[in-house]
Structures are given as C-alpha cells and as structure tokens.
Amino acid sequence: DTAVSQTPKYLVTQMGNDKSIKCEQNLGHDTMYWYKQDSKKFLKIMFSYNNKELIINETVPNRFSPKSPDKAHLNLHINSLELGDSAVYFCASSQFGRSETQYFGPGTRLLVL
Amino acid sequence: QKEVEQDPGPLSVPEGAIVSLNCTYSNSAFQYFMWYRQYSRKGPELLMYTYSSGNKEDGRFTAQVDKSSKYISLFIRDSQPSDSATYLCASGGETSGSRLTFGEGTQLTVNP
C-alpha cells in the first residue's frame, strides 16, 4: 500500500512542451512538497503546500506551477520545458510543523530532449 | 557556501566495517537533523532524526550531532551489502513548517 505515489515514473519529452507530474499521499498528512534532484544527487526544495496553501516557494522559474486540489494531492505543471529541467522530481509529505519526518515518493525521472 | 556540506564520496568498505558519514552545517538556526538513505533509482527514506546534541541509536545506526561545532554524523556498525546506498544528511527547523536543507549525499558501497 503505497504511502506517497507519483505518476508518471518516467517522462521523456521535447524542449518547449508542457508536462504535468501528479502526486498523491494516503498518510493523512496536511503538508506536501516538491523537490528537484539533479544528476549529482543534490536534493533541493521547490515548493511546499500546507492544506492547499503555498507556504514555501523557493527561487524556481515561473514556468513551474504547483497545484493542490486537496491536501492529499500536489501536482506540478511545467511549461515550456528546457534542457536544464531534466532531473528527478520527488514529492514528499509530512504533518505541518513536522518537516523533520517527511516521506518521499519514488520520483519522476524527467528527460528533456 | 552551502548551508549543509557533505563529502560525496564514493566510500567503499568491506562487509562488517564500521562506517562513518559526516556533514557540517552553517546555519545556527537549524533545530533538527536527519539522515536519509536513498537506494539507486528510489526515493529517499528517512533513517533517523534528532533535535539535540548527543547520540541517538537505532539498531546498527547511530546519529550524532554536535551543535557547538555544527557537525552531524551517522555511524553504521557491522555494515552489510544491503547498506549500499547514498546517504543524505539534512537540517531544518528555522521556523515552523520550514524547508529542509540537504547535503549532496555520500555514496556508500559495502563489499561482501
């Protein structure tokens, strides 16, 4: 029974396209996150939502737009994809105020050609 | 300067060895410290977290924090081939609901 799931697992697309990644958690958490992990394994926070409200928005191009339809889901839409967007994107969740106990999804491997 | 620095390795040890993984951090406001394990092509998995200076033990794993020197360590006793993974340290807690800052990970291989 998967706690944090992401779809798709792999995404190969051309530069300039628009794509979305979906995330769902069944842990009953109220805070969800998006991270980007580059080829050197460096994991960096992009966004955080608490109960559908944006609480962390790091310096990310505005081509990236998160959307949270409810507290169990956090999707990431990327417009006008660039080569540099190629990375692994991880979704995570926790209880609010307990970011030290985040649970991560399996990741979405995005390759922009 | 990165807020959390971690030697990326790679680190290769024989089975049964004691492994020491280390990080330093620069932000005095960090309140809690975590270690994550990430197997190849998988998501990070929380191993341990701690709030204070000192040691915290969980089976073969011991997390150590020294806030005075801003040093974080993870010790693995009796290392096993199944411990082969990338280990990520992380810190956070400047404010409620704050972001985590990760080190770049140390790749560990335990050879049978």
Side-chain angles (χ1 to χ4, degrees):
Chain A
D1 194 19
T2 306
V4 182
S5 58
Q6 295 178 227
T7 53
K9 285 189 176 180
Y10 300 95
L11 196 47
V12 181
T13 188
Q14 300 287 330
M15 261 191 342
N17 284 351
D18 303 339
K19 290 293 178 186
S20 291
I21 308 172
K22 295 186 175 182
C23 178
E24 176 182 3
Q25 54 92 8
N26 61 7
L27 297 167
H29 290 160
D30 53 9
T31 304
M32 296 183 72
Y33 311 81
W34 276 112
Y35 287 87
K36 179 180 180 181
Q37 188 173 48
D38 61 24
S39 57
K40 292 186 176 180
K41 295 282 195 178
F42 190 57
L43 197 61
K44 189 165 168 51
I45 184 78
M46 299 173 70
F47 302 102
S48 172
Y49 268 74
N50 172 245
N51 218 3
K52 301 193 296 175
E53 285 192 28
L54 183 66
I55 55 172
I56 293 175
N57 184 353
E58 293 291 302
T59 307
V60 175
N62 57 15
R63 299 181 293 103
F64 290 79
S65 52
K67 284 188 172 52
S68 182
D70 56 61
K71 66 179 186 178
H73 296 83
L74 180 62
N75 304 324
L76 184 65
H77 188 75
I78 316 170
N79 290 326
S80 304
L81 278 155
E82 300 178 357
L83 294 177
D85 298 332
S86 297
V88 183
Y89 292 84
F90 288 100
C91 176
S93 73
S94 74
Q95 291 290 7
F96 182 69
R98 296 300 309 274
S99 56
E100 71 275 23
T101 52
Q102 292 184 27
Y103 292 84
F104 282 77
T108 296
R109 280 164 178 74
L110 172 64
L111 178 61
V112 182
L113 302 174
Chain B
Q1 182 193 4
K2 294 177 186 172
E3 286 188 289
V4 178
E5 298 267 7
Q6 184 175 7
D7 184 346
L11 183 61
S12 182
V13 301
E15 184 175 353
I18 296 175
V19 176
S20 173
L21 303 168
N22 306 297
C23 292
T24 58
Y25 65 95
S26 58
N27 189 339
S28 299
F30 284 149
Q31 297 293 319
Y32 42 77
F33 309 90
M34 286 71 61
W35 283 96
Y36 280 83
R37 177 175 61 195
Q38 186 175 19
Y39 290 115
S40 180
R41 306 185 81 77
K42 300 288 186 185
E45 169 195 9
L46 180 64
L47 276 178
M48 301 178 72
Y49 66 92
T50 182
Y51 298 101
S52 56
S53 283
N55 293 350
K56 182 176 181 180
E57 193 173 316
D58 185 0
R60 296 184 296 109
F61 298 88
T62 300
Q64 188 176 82
V65 175
D66 181 345
K67 285 190 174 181
S68 62
S69 59
K70 298 189 179 67
Y71 206 77
I72 313 164
S73 298
L74 179 70
F75 298 97
I76 307 173
R77 291 185 300 280
D78 188 25
S79 57
Q80 303 294 310
S82 59
D83 295 328
S84 298
T86 296
Y87 289 80
L88 301 156
C89 62
S91 302
E94 304 115 296
T95 58
S96 179
S98 71
R99 62 183 171 84
L100 296 185
T101 300
F102 282 82
E104 62 183 294
T106 299
Q107 186 180 340
L108 172 67
T109 301
V110 181
N111 300 300

